[in-house]
Amino acid sequence: MNVIIFLIGSLGYGALELLFRGYTHWTMMLTGGACLLTLYYLERPFHETPILIKAAGGALIITLYEFSVGLIVNLWYGWNVWNYSLLPGNILGQICPLFTLLWFLLCLTLAFVSKGLKKVSAKAEHSST
């Protein structure tokens, strides 16, 4: 299951970047997979946490991944995969409040989808017994 979740995150994030930026980078696909897998693992211990809190936590996690990966790929290796230097509130051009808000909205969407999938799964399991 871990590989499937990772691939969904990788391909899903790559697709989002292609849709909104017109291109992506392999490091972003790996980061998207790692983010979704992390959120997946955190769902179980926090399954009763309110959705808005989950989305805020998810946005923080994604922002931390983005900052860490940005330090490596953009600042250390100089690959210039992204640069938020022109956006207000940015930190070293790697993260900024606008994208943290976008990650919040993405995590909010994921939380609702996850909740719906759990309901469908529970109904399917109940009807098969």
Side-chain angles (χ1 to χ4, degrees):
M1 190 61 162
N2 293 341
V3 172
I4 292 170
I5 299 296
F6 185 87
L7 287 174
I8 290 170
S10 293
L11 297 174
Y13 187 74
L16 282 174
E17 280 213 319
L18 287 172
L19 183 65
F20 289 101
R21 285 193 342 163
Y23 63 95
T24 190
H25 191 267
W26 64 269
T27 58
M28 292 295 80
M29 294 179 71
L30 292 178
T31 305
C35 286
L36 189 60
L37 194 57
T38 301
L39 296 175
Y40 172 76
Y41 272 105
L42 289 173
E43 172 59 29
R44 186 171 294 141
F46 296 103
H47 69 278
E48 292 187 20
T49 302
I51 285 179
L52 290 176
I53 302 297
K54 285 183 187 181
L60 179 62
I61 288 166
I62 294 171
T63 299
L64 290 172
Y65 267 105
E66 183 177 39
F67 187 68
S68 301
V69 172
L71 290 176
I72 295 167
V73 303
N74 293 328
L75 300 183
W76 186 7
Y77 285 125
W79 292 348
N80 299 316
V81 177
W82 74 90
N83 185 347
Y84 300 151
S85 293
L86 299 177
L87 296 175
N90 78 83
I91 299 175
L92 300 174
Q94 303 311 300
I95 58 173
C96 68
L98 172 62
F99 275 82
T100 300
L101 173 63
L102 293 174
W103 305 144
F104 172 81
L105 296 173
L106 176 64
C107 288
L108 192 60
T109 303
L110 289 173
F112 281 113
V113 168
S114 175
K115 188 175 182 176
L117 288 173
K118 283 180 194 173
K119 285 182 181 179
V120 168
S121 176
K123 285 182 183 179
E125 192 173 296
H126 179 71
S127 66
S128 68
T129 56

